[in-house]
Amino acid sequence: MESIAEKELKKISIIAVFTNLILAIIKVSIGLIFKSMAVLADGIDTSTDILTSSTMLIATVISKKPADKEHPYGHQKAENIGAKIISFVIFYAGVSLLIESAKRLITGQYEVLTGFLPLFAAIISVLGKTFLFAIEYTTGKKHKSHAMIAEAKNMRNDIIMSGLVFLGVFLNKIGLSWMDPLVGIIMSGIIIKVAWEVFEENAHELMDGLKDEEMLIYDKIFEACKVCGASNPHKVRVRKIGNKFDIDMDIEVNENMSVKEAHDITKCIKKQLCETKDIYDIVIHVEPEANDEKEPFGLSEDNHRISGNSSN
């Protein structure tokens, strides 16, 4: 059964698909009829938004599936994959637009636009994209959906681009006909920049990296170990699964301590961390104090020093 969050994310995704479909039809049709490179480019960009919104919808549905035998850590990274696909689509649209706009500007294939409809297309686009950005960004932040936040950022830049289209069309209509392809070039640069930002952010998380502000989780871990009486927390590794932290670590206890006493320490650490952070899982390996063995890499308490392949 779908949760409230799943239903809301799916609802917003469906709204985004249909809104972009309507905007794309309007802008592509007007761009072709009036031979406006700026309006047509904006329409093509919105057409790619239909694909990205559909990708986001599919990724959101997949990410909410429960863990299974083949995916014991769940399916949350589907959202990161979806966001990566979005970045490639946006990049392709940006490069294609850059090439075509530059060609038209250089060869002089532009003319003064007639009629009010090109301006109307730009105005309706600004209004529609503002609506989508507001609902997608708010919902994405609320439910910590990476794919939806990525799509909202795309909408935010679409607002700027549609504004540029309006400006370009307006200046074109008062005699500066070369503004139409020039605006297309400017828009392509914005599109490519957005594509890189979305790609970089999600590549970092797919590599199990943490953002600077998320690195504070290590301080919480070492603090919890002190409170609960564990010694030398090391080989500490944290990654994100969806919007939660997955923690793997080693601690040391007195070698004469009973299994129950050692287990109580691990329970204490888990309780301390779960009270302050969104935790997916915590795995704690217990060792006797002054344990001497070579171990895989991880962070130790000594200024978050990387430890590994050395004696503890």
Side-chain angles (χ1 to χ4, degrees), residues 124-141:
I124 199 70
S125 179
V126 170
L127 295 176
K129 295 295 185 178
T130 300
F131 166 72
L132 288 180
F133 168 75
I135 62 173
E136 288 184 338
Y137 191 78
T138 301
T139 305
K141 282 291 186 179

Side-chain angles (χ1 to χ4, degrees), residues 204 207-227 232-240 244-251 269 272-273 276-279 281-283 296-307:
H204 186 68
M207 292 288 289
D208 291 331
L210 297 181
K211 300 176 182 178
D212 290 340
E213 62 270 20
E214 293 173 334
M215 290 294 290
L216 293 174
I217 183 64
Y218 284 100
D219 293 321
K220 296 291 184 181
I221 293 171
F222 298 132
E223 181 182 343
C225 289
K226 287 181 179 179
V227 170
N232 189 27
H234 60 281
K235 207 178 78 173
V236 183
R237 291 172 290 185
V238 182
R239 60 176 177 167
K240 294 290 290 296
K244 298 185 177 182
F245 293 101
D246 183 52
I247 302 171
D248 188 359
M249 60 186 294
D250 285 9
I251 61 171
I269 294 172
Q272 291 282 326
L273 292 174
T276 58
K277 292 291 181 181
D278 291 326
I279 304 298
D281 192 19
I282 304 175
V283 177
F297 286 101
L299 298 185
S300 69
E301 189 176 8
D302 184 14
N303 296 322
H304 296 181
R305 172 178 55 85
I306 293 180
S307 61

Side-chain angles (χ1 to χ4, degrees), residues 35-171:
K35 298 180 181 180
S36 170
M37 184 60 194
V39 175
L40 178 60
D42 200 16
I44 293 174
D45 177 64
T46 300
S47 298
T48 66
D49 291 338
I50 298 171
L51 175 60
T52 57
S53 296
S54 301
T55 302
M56 179 185 65
L57 175 59
I58 295 171
T60 299
V61 172
I62 294 175
S63 69
K64 301 305 177 184
K65 291 175 60 179
D68 54 34
K69 183 177 179 181
E70 291 78 19
H71 306 89
Y73 287 100
H75 300 77
Q76 288 89 340
K77 287 187 182 293
E79 288 196 5
N80 298 106
I81 297 174
K84 292 272 280 188
I85 294 173
I86 289 174
S87 72
F88 287 124
V89 173
I90 297 173
F91 180 78
Y92 175 78
V95 172
S96 299
L97 176 58
L98 176 62
I99 294 173
E100 183 62 24
S101 298
K103 183 176 73 174
R104 292 204 176 200
L105 184 64
I106 293 171
T107 59
Q109 296 178 2
Y110 45 80
E111 57 188 58
V112 177
L113 302 174
T114 60
F116 173 73
L117 286 179
L119 284 175
F120 170 77
I123 293 171
I124 199 70
S125 179
V126 170
L127 295 176
K129 295 295 185 178
T130 300
F131 166 72
L132 288 180
F133 168 75
I135 62 173
E136 288 184 338
Y137 191 78
T138 301
T139 305
K141 282 291 186 179
K142 178 181 178 181
H143 300 295
K144 299 181 181 179
S145 170
H146 297 288
M148 184 159 288
I149 292 174
E151 178 65 3
K153 289 180 178 180
N154 184 34
M155 291 300 105
R156 177 191 62 191
N157 288 276
D158 283 351
I159 297 171
I160 299 174
M161 289 188 289
S162 293
L164 285 173
V165 170
F166 177 84
L167 178 61
V169 172
F170 176 78
L171 293 176

Side-chain angles (χ1 to χ4, degrees), residues 1-12 60-61 63-66 79 139 142-145 243:
M1 184 175 180
E2 287 186 327
S3 66
I4 295 177
E6 290 170 338
K7 290 180 180 179
E8 188 171 356
L9 288 169
K10 185 182 293 186
K11 176 183 176 182
I12 297 301
T60 299
V61 172
S63 69
K64 301 305 177 184
K65 291 175 60 179
E79 288 196 5
T139 305
K142 178 181 178 181
H143 300 295
K144 299 181 181 179
S145 170
N243 61 334

Side-chain angles (χ1 to χ4, degrees), residues 90-91 93-99 101 161 182-194:
I90 297 173
F91 180 78
V95 172
S96 299
L97 176 58
L98 176 62
I99 294 173
S101 298
M161 289 188 289
L182 179 61
V183 167
I185 293 176
I186 295 173
M187 289 172 59
S188 67
I190 296 174
I191 293 173
I192 293 171
K193 179 176 181 293
V194 172

